[in-house]
Amino acid sequence: GAVVSQHPSWVICKSGTSVKIECRSLDFQATTMFWYRQFPKQSLMLMATSNEGSKATYEQGVEKDKFLINHASLTLSTLTVTSAHPEDSSFYICSAQRGVIEQYFGPGTRLTVT
Amino acid sequence: KNEVEQSPQNLTAQEGEFITINCSYSVGISALHWLQQHPGGGIVSLFMLSSGKKKHGRLIATINIQEKHSSLHITASHPRDSAVYICAVLGEGGSEKLVFGKGTKLTVNP
């Protein structure tokens, strides 16, 4: 099956700093990648859709200047949480789309902002 | 609006039991995903279905498009199967957004 990796798997940062999370499709090219956020005991919430070579499409209520998404190649998308605050602490998950309907999930990145 | 309902919300079983988790959705879909999320948070894609049935090891997933219903079965359950199982559907008509169920928390006791 297709493999999607995320790096780092967990990160702790201080309030006010920025954190970059990488999402890679290891064995296929993904024209579209998705970024999700999950709070404890809640379902995944779509933050943004990222297409290679173009600007990401953000869901309503997601600050695009705070959550910077770059889809630089067909195998790599990055999410940068800028000026992180404790309320940004969450589990961030990416998925990569292969073809029209196949979507594969990364293992997630747990961000803790102190 | 597509809604995804999973049942049961919580399930406790003894090791070796046969497990069934259900997922119903309200509109036409192009694909349905079953995901597994362990307590540490990591998500594993188990199956992607658009029709019929798929099997991988002790896991079986079925989908009935007419009835808008899917089931995930686990045979000979084991404590390591303890996790949250999430159903997610991809709508028809070019929609790229997955709609997620709230998940079923499975606990398998030794």
Side-chain angles (χ1 to χ4, degrees):
Chain A
V3 179
V4 176
S5 71
Q6 278 186 242
H7 178 81
S9 55
W10 60 270
V11 58
I12 300 172
C13 72
K14 291 189 176 181
S15 189
T17 62
S18 295
V19 174
K20 181 185 284 189
I21 302 169
E22 292 186 349
C23 176
R24 292 181 186 272
S25 55
L26 298 184
D27 52 359
F28 66 99
Q29 293 184 330
T31 52
T32 304
M33 289 186 173
F34 302 88
W35 286 96
Y36 298 89
R37 183 173 181 177
Q38 186 183 37
F39 290 107
K41 299 190 186 300
Q42 293 189 23
S43 191
L44 281 73
M45 182 187 75
L46 180 65
M47 297 175 67
T49 302
S50 163
N51 290 296
E52 186 264 339
S54 62
K55 290 184 178 180
T57 302
Y58 290 81
E59 295 299 299
Q60 194 172 9
V62 177
E63 299 174 60
K64 60 182 179 183
D65 293 331
K66 180 167 186 62
F67 299 100
L68 301 179
I69 292 172
N70 186 317
H71 195 151
S73 74
L74 288 172
T75 59
L76 173 65
S77 176
T78 59
L79 168 68
T80 302
V81 183
T82 63
S83 187
H85 286 277
E87 56 263 32
D88 298 324
S89 298
S90 188
F91 193 59
Y92 292 87
I93 304 152
C94 75
S95 70
Q97 183 165 303
R98 182 171 71 180
V100 178
I101 62 173
E102 294 178 59
Q103 208 174 121
Y104 300 94
F105 286 80
T109 297
R110 186 162 303 282
L111 169 63
T112 302
V113 184
T114 60
Chain B
K1 179 185 172 186
N2 197 8
E3 295 185 343
V4 179
E5 298 285 337
Q6 283 187 238
S7 64
Q9 193 172 355
N10 291 283
L11 181 57
T12 300
Q14 288 301 121
E15 184 173 356
E17 286 185 1
F18 181 82
I19 305 292
T20 296
I21 298 171
N22 297 298
C23 175
S24 296
Y25 49 92
S26 57
V27 300
I29 64 169
S30 55
L32 181 144
H33 295 256
W34 280 104
L35 310 172
Q36 180 192 56
Q37 187 170 30
H38 280 283
I43 286 186
V44 175
S45 297
L46 297 177
F47 295 105
M48 189 198 69
L49 294 163
S50 51
S51 65
K53 175 180 174 178
K54 287 190 176 181
K55 184 176 189 293
H56 185 254
R58 296 180 295 107
L59 301 178
I60 303 166
T62 63
I63 188 168
N64 185 317
I65 297 296
Q66 287 74 30
E67 293 186 4
K68 295 185 173 59
H69 180 269
S70 175
S71 293
L72 176 68
H73 305 286
I74 304 174
T75 61
S77 60
H78 190 276
R80 65 174 175 267
D81 297 326
S82 298
V84 175
Y85 292 85
I86 303 167
C87 170
V89 301
L90 189 65
E92 291 178 327
S95 170
E96 298 177 343
K97 299 178 187 179
L98 283 174
V99 178
F100 293 87
K102 293 184 178 179
T104 295
K105 183 177 181 181
L106 171 65
T107 303
V108 182
N109 294 316

